[in-house]
Amino acid sequence: NVIVVTSGKIDLDNTQTRQMNPASFVTENILTLNDVKTIEDISSIKVASPMTLVPGNIKYQEQESSPIITGVYANGLDAFEIVKINKGKMFKQNCTEKVIVLGNAVKKQLFPDINPIGKEITLGKDHKFTVIGYLTNTTSSASFASEINNLALIPFNTATELNKGNVKIFRIVAKAKSDADVNKTKKQIRKAILNNHDGEEDFTVLTQDDILDVFGQFLNLATALVSAIAAISLIVGGIGIMNIMLVTVTERTREIGLRKAVGATKLAILFQFLIEAIVITLLGGILGLTITFVATQIIANQTDLQPAITWNIILIAVGISMIIGVIFGLWPALRAANKDPIEALRYE
């Protein structure tokens, strides 16, 4: 029941292209506080909070961190829904004080061994903020809010002050009531903001399903690009195998002639070299899988990601390796099988 309003128009109806203007997608001068108020006034909305960004790093003594410093309303955590205060408290609504709530990863960077509550940190060059709380650890990410563990939350009014009084809203996160129809609420929000913007649809209202579809489109594009690179690599590798086998056939011409002289058939010669090509590519596939296993273990130990390698993936990798061996080893094997035994025995 979390709904996100973002700047820029994403063509959600066009499932093939998901057209959008990337520049407007990250702009901060389209959404307004009036839009936030309009969303709050919708009967099916429980809470709504704008999000604004403040550039800069934060420091505590010799420790430094580069979190995503985000200005939100006091109910911002309720809108995110997936994370709570671990210790301390959230700032109050309409707060103008310089207080900050740290994400779990930021707390660990700045205060690995001590309680940060009440400590004073420096934001940017000289802005002093008091830590009033920090968040629980989460493996989830808020809708278009980046990594929650790397957030540092400050009051929206304070963030506006740091931005020289400019109201810069790049997202509005709202949560519908538990008994509300999310799709109906989405249409109400779109209609209300459309009125605020004089009919210009320079924004997009996204439900969680819409967000998954958009990210799915990005992932599909990334998968297609990686698959294209893999296909090129396979072709290049296959050509390399073919050249190696052609050289091998040439170097073993006398061996081929001798085998044929003592009764080896064309089929036997063909299978001999074809199997050699398959073994080479199979060993390459096993080596690649071994490197993949090591890489996934390193990623799992060093990050929050947990890569999964299934038996289907292993079988596909081994199968494709063998197919490459067959395809690119067939021509050298045919050349070996079709050699004339008398000419082969004369070869020096």
Side-chain angles (χ1 to χ4, degrees), residues 17-268:
T17 60
R18 302 285 186 195
Q19 295 177 355
M20 66 179 181
N21 183 346
S24 62
F25 190 64
V26 296
T27 189
E28 297 176 317
N29 59 2
I30 291 178
L31 301 175
T32 66
L33 287 176
N34 187 37
D35 295 331
V36 181
K37 182 66 169 61
T38 299
I39 294 173
E40 288 178 327
D41 290 341
I42 295 175
S43 59
S44 56
I45 291 294
K46 184 177 180 181
V47 294
S49 173
M51 298 178 63
T52 185
L53 298 178
V54 176
N57 297 338
I58 58 177
K59 297 180 181 179
Y60 176 73
Q61 296 179 353
E62 300 301 321
Q63 304 297 325
E64 185 173 357
S65 179
S66 302
I68 303 168
I69 304 169
T70 309
V72 295
Y73 282 175
N75 58 15
L77 288 183
D78 293 332
F80 292 159
E81 196 176 51
I82 60 174
V83 68
K84 303 295 181 184
I85 293 287
N86 188 342
K87 286 187 179 181
K89 61 182 179 180
M90 190 66 173
F91 41 79
K92 296 180 180 179
Q93 192 72 357
N94 299 319
C95 177
T96 58
E97 299 175 0
K98 289 188 175 181
V99 292
I100 191 168
V101 176
L102 304 177
N104 193 270
V106 183
K107 182 264 178 188
K108 290 181 179 178
Q109 287 178 336
L110 296 180
F111 306 95
D113 302 315
I114 62 175
N115 185 357
I117 308 300
K119 303 295 184 183
E120 191 175 72
I121 58 104
T122 303
L123 190 157
K125 292 184 179 180
D126 54 6
H127 298 290
K128 302 296 183 180
F129 278 74
T130 302
V131 180
I132 60 172
Y134 63 93
L135 306 177
T136 56
N137 185 51
T138 177
T139 57
S140 302
S141 292
S143 308
F144 287 109
S146 300
E147 180 64 33
I148 285 289
N149 289 327
N150 199 41
L151 286 180
L153 304 178
I154 62 176
F156 184 83
N157 292 337
T158 305
T160 301
E161 180 184 340
L162 294 179
N163 286 328
K164 299 180 180 180
N166 297 318
V167 176
K168 299 179 178 181
I169 302 175
F170 83 107
R171 302 285 183 271
I172 300 175
V173 182
K175 184 167 72 171
K177 295 177 180 177
S178 58
D179 58 347
D181 185 324
V182 176
N183 287 324
K184 183 179 178 181
T185 303
K186 170 188 172 182
K187 293 177 181 177
Q188 291 175 330
I189 292 174
R190 178 180 175 276
K191 182 178 179 181
I193 300 182
L194 205 56
N195 291 333
N196 290 349
H197 292 212
D198 298 324
E200 183 180 358
E201 194 168 359
D202 51 2
F203 63 92
T204 304
V205 184
L206 299 164
T207 63
Q208 298 302 293
D209 287 338
D210 294 331
I211 292 169
L212 287 175
D213 287 342
V214 171
F215 279 129
Q217 191 73 16
F218 292 152
L219 290 175
N220 289 339
L221 178 60
T223 300
L225 291 173
V226 171
S227 299
I229 294 171
I232 294 171
S233 300
L234 287 173
I235 292 172
V236 172
I239 293 172
I241 294 295
M242 184 172 63
N243 288 335
I244 291 172
M245 293 307 300
L246 286 172
V247 171
T248 301
V249 169
T250 302
E251 290 179 344
R252 296 164 64 184
T253 299
R254 285 181 62 83
E255 175 192 330
I256 295 169
L258 183 59
R259 290 198 64 202
K260 283 194 170 188
V262 296
T265 63
K266 285 186 177 182
L267 191 61

